Amino acid sequence: IGAWTSLTLLNINDNNLSGTIPSEVGLLTSLTWFFAESNRFSGSVPTEMGLWKSCTFLRLQYNRLSGALPTEIGQWSNITDFRVAGNLFSGTLPSEIGSWTALTSFWISDNNIGGQILPSEIVDQWGDTIEDLTMYGNMFSGTIPTELGLFTKLDTLLVGGGMLLGGTLPSELGQLTLMNDLVVANTAISGTLPIEFSQMTSLRRFELYDNDLVGELLSELGLWTDLEVLTLEGNGLFGVVPSEIGQLVSLTSLNLQENQLNGTIPTEIGLLTSLIQLSTYQNSLSGTIPTELWLLSNLSFLEVNKNKLVGTLGTELGRMTSLTYLAVEFNMLSGTITSEIGLIKDLYKVFASDNEFVGTIPSEIWELSNLVVLGIDNNRLSGRLEGTELSRMTGLVSLDISNNQQFTGTLPTEVGLLTLLTWLDINRNGFTGSLPSEVGLLTGLVSFFVFGNNLTQSIPSELENLMELEMLRLHETDLSGSIPSSICNSDIVPLVTIDCDEVDCICCIEGVGLEPGDPCPGSG
């Protein structure tokens, strides 16, 4: 390869090449473009590559290269595009790269590079040609340099993810009016959102998640009318969600989860007609879910759980025909579960536990053939599980109707048709009769809870087929007989709770309420 001294462009992308990059590449002194991304190269970058005085584009991302970036690359005074993301580079950024005054793109994300993030000997020399700084997923420390506010052409800044960054968000970033993508995540950065950020009116993606930010949401964020993604989860933001959020008409994803926001969900949220994902999980939002929200026909993901919401899930819910994920658990919602939920044919996960819902499970819910998770536990629901309806839910992976107290009748034999189940919880209800032998067909079951019911007769021997069990809770029932020895002798010895006076078992413990008690006599 060293004989190709007149070569100006070498492209070996996506070839599954392995081994080290030979030092002879340094002889390619006319090379301006070197593309070797998405291979399996390992080892360090040869110092001889510093001889490429005309190098303009270098792309080595997504290999297995390691070691420190050699200081010799600082001789590339014409470099404009440098991409080494997705490798195993370590050490610190060589100060010599401060000579890259023509640089536009700098991709070094997902490595193990540490030290000061963009030290002054680098950032003070770079010009305003920089457009893209993608540095996420390294081990940098320090603070985000205020000098970045001078890079007037910067449109992408991605930092965080394992970095030991602290300090506050520099207000100078607000001068970057061409900024499209700003991501600062998984850092120790604190303080408030600078009001100057409202000047970044070209923003399309603004993600500041898992930091230590506090303060209120800026009402001025309504100026970001081109914004498509807003993620502020995992901070300490408080106050209300400003009504100006309704001005973000291009928004497709809004994530405010895990903060300390209060007040109500603003009705203006109904103006976000492009919204696909909405999460306000784990805040202190109160009031009702505004009817305007149910008009968001493109919404696919709705997560408003762990708040203080009241009111009902009205018939308007049926308008959200694009919805696939619905999480409203741990609120104070009441009334019945509307039958219109059956109109949302693509629903695959429903979490509605720990509310105050009453009435029966609408028959329409059993028509949702794509449903894989149904959690409606800890409510005040009543009625029976009908075998003909349950048999339609063959795609279910998790079914939890526990702690409603008022479900009655028998557990239908058709439960054996739900062969994909890994979680089945019917505890704390009023089920009677026997435990059907068909549960032995649920060979993928990991957790099975039936305690606190009025079940009688012998435990079916078919339980021996449940070799994946990790938890089996049968206490506080009138079941008798024995736990199959194969369960106790399996590779995964499960936690099994029973009533020791009624059931024989060699590996069980006495069930006391919801917590395990002492081992049964004779348990191993």
Side-chain angles (χ1 to χ4, degrees), residues 461-474:
S461 60
E462 287 80 2
L463 285 187
E464 67 182 2
N465 298 322
L466 307 184
M467 301 303 292
E468 301 297 322
L469 273 179
E470 295 179 7
M471 298 188 74
L472 175 62
R473 292 191 165 183
L474 304 176

Side-chain angles (χ1 to χ4, degrees), residues 109-173:
S109 60
D110 298 315
N111 282 286
N112 298 309
I113 304 172
Q116 175 73 28
I117 183 172
L118 293 178
S120 57
E121 56 265 31
I122 295 176
V123 73
D124 288 349
Q125 297 183 63
W126 282 356
D128 64 355
T129 57
I130 300 287
E131 299 175 4
D132 186 342
L133 287 175
T134 300
M135 307 176 66
Y136 188 87
N138 281 285
M139 302 300 293
F140 291 118
S141 58
T143 60
I144 297 177
T146 59
E147 291 87 348
L148 293 185
L150 300 176
F151 294 173
T152 56
K153 295 180 181 178
L154 192 63
D155 64 27
T156 300
L157 175 62
L158 277 62
V159 296
M163 294 184 181
L164 305 176
L165 293 179
T168 60
L169 293 169
S171 60
E172 289 81 358
L173 295 183

Side-chain angles (χ1 to χ4, degrees), residues 54-95:
S54 300
C55 186
T56 305
F57 284 80
L58 179 85
R59 297 188 178 179
L60 291 174
Q61 64 264 42
Y62 313 123
N63 281 284
R64 301 173 183 174
L65 297 168
S66 58
L69 294 172
T71 59
E72 287 80 2
I73 64 176
Q75 301 176 59
W76 298 344
S77 58
N78 295 316
I79 190 78
T80 61
D81 194 303
F82 181 79
R83 306 189 185 197
V84 296
N87 281 285
L88 301 170
F89 289 117
S90 56
T92 60
L93 293 176
S95 60

Side-chain angles (χ1 to χ4, degrees), residues 163-483:
M163 294 184 181
L164 305 176
L165 293 179
T168 60
L169 293 169
S171 60
E172 289 81 358
L173 295 183
Q175 303 171 35
L176 305 176
T177 57
L178 298 181
M179 183 69 76
N180 288 155
D181 295 334
L182 176 59
V183 178
V184 180
N186 291 296
T187 74
I189 290 176
S190 58
T192 60
L193 295 175
I195 185 67
E196 291 82 359
F197 278 21
S198 62
Q199 302 170 40
M200 294 189 285
T201 54
S202 297
L203 276 172
R204 296 185 181 277
R205 178 186 176 200
F206 187 72
E207 299 196 71
L208 305 182
Y209 58 88
D210 294 331
N211 297 293
D212 293 326
L213 298 172
V214 295
E216 299 184 354
L217 291 177
L218 301 174
S219 59
E220 288 81 4
L221 62 78
L223 299 174
W224 300 340
T225 53
D226 291 330
L227 195 67
E228 297 173 2
V229 177
L230 175 58
T231 304
L232 296 171
E233 75 169 275
N235 286 288
L237 300 173
F238 53 80
V240 301
V241 179
S243 61
E244 287 82 0
I245 205 160
Q247 299 173 27
L248 306 181
V249 292
S250 299
L251 209 60
T252 61
S253 177
L254 174 59
N255 189 340
L256 303 175
Q257 71 181 50
E258 297 178 326
N259 282 286
Q260 301 170 29
L261 300 172
N262 55 37
T264 60
I265 299 174
T267 59
E268 288 82 1
I269 208 160
L271 300 174
L272 307 180
T273 55
S274 297
L275 205 60
I276 296 173
Q277 177 175 331
L278 171 62
S279 177
T280 63
Y281 161 74
Q282 199 165 320
N283 281 281
S284 296
L285 297 174
S286 57
T288 60
I289 300 174
T291 56
E292 290 82 359
L293 188 149
W294 307 122
L295 301 177
L296 300 177
S297 59
N298 291 312
L299 200 66
S300 173
F301 184 100
L302 177 59
E303 191 176 50
V304 294
N305 45 326
K306 290 197 174 182
N307 282 283
K308 300 176 182 178
L309 299 173
V310 298
T312 63
L313 290 181
T315 58
E316 297 89 352
L317 177 63
R319 299 176 182 174
M320 307 191 77
T321 54
S322 297
L323 204 62
T324 61
Y325 184 101
L326 175 64
V328 296
E329 76 262 42
F330 292 99
N331 281 291
M332 295 179 284
L333 299 173
S334 58
T336 60
I337 298 176
T338 178
S339 61
E340 276 74 11
I341 196 172
L343 299 175
I344 312 175
K345 301 299 184 183
D346 292 328
L347 264 180
Y348 78 99
K349 289 187 178 180
V350 174
F351 300 97
S353 66
D354 294 272
N355 281 287
E356 299 173 9
F357 291 121
V358 297
T360 60
I361 302 175
S363 59
E364 290 81 1
I365 210 167
W366 306 114
E367 302 286 346
L368 298 174
S369 58
N370 293 310
L371 205 62
V372 298
V373 175
L374 177 60
I376 49 177
D377 49 296
N378 291 287
N379 283 287
R380 291 185 287 146
L381 297 168
S382 58
R384 302 167 64 95
L385 284 184
E386 300 294 341
T388 54
E389 295 178 336
L390 197 61
S391 64
R392 301 170 187 153
M393 307 296 289
T394 54
L396 271 181
V397 173
S398 175
L399 175 61
D400 194 340
I401 60 170
S402 64
N403 216 31
N404 277 284
Q405 307 289 341
Q406 301 180 59
F407 283 114
T408 58
T410 60
L411 183 62
T413 59
E414 287 83 355
V415 71
L417 298 175
L418 310 185
T419 55
L420 298 180
L421 277 179
T422 61
W423 180 287
L424 177 58
D425 193 346
I426 63 169
N427 84 77
R428 300 288 184 210
N429 280 293
F431 288 108
T432 57
S434 62
L435 192 61
S437 60
E438 286 79 4
V439 298
L441 299 173
L442 307 179
T443 55
L445 209 56
V446 174
S447 300
F448 186 27
F449 305 92
V450 298
F451 64 89
N453 283 285
N454 300 317
L455 298 173
T456 59
Q457 303 183 38
S458 293
I459 294 172
S461 60
E462 287 80 2
L463 285 187
E464 67 182 2
N465 298 322
L466 307 184
M467 301 303 292
E468 301 297 322
L469 273 179
E470 295 179 7
M471 298 188 74
L472 175 62
R473 292 191 165 183
L474 304 176
H475 60 279
E476 295 184 31
T477 68
D478 290 321
L479 292 169
S480 59
S482 61
I483 299 295

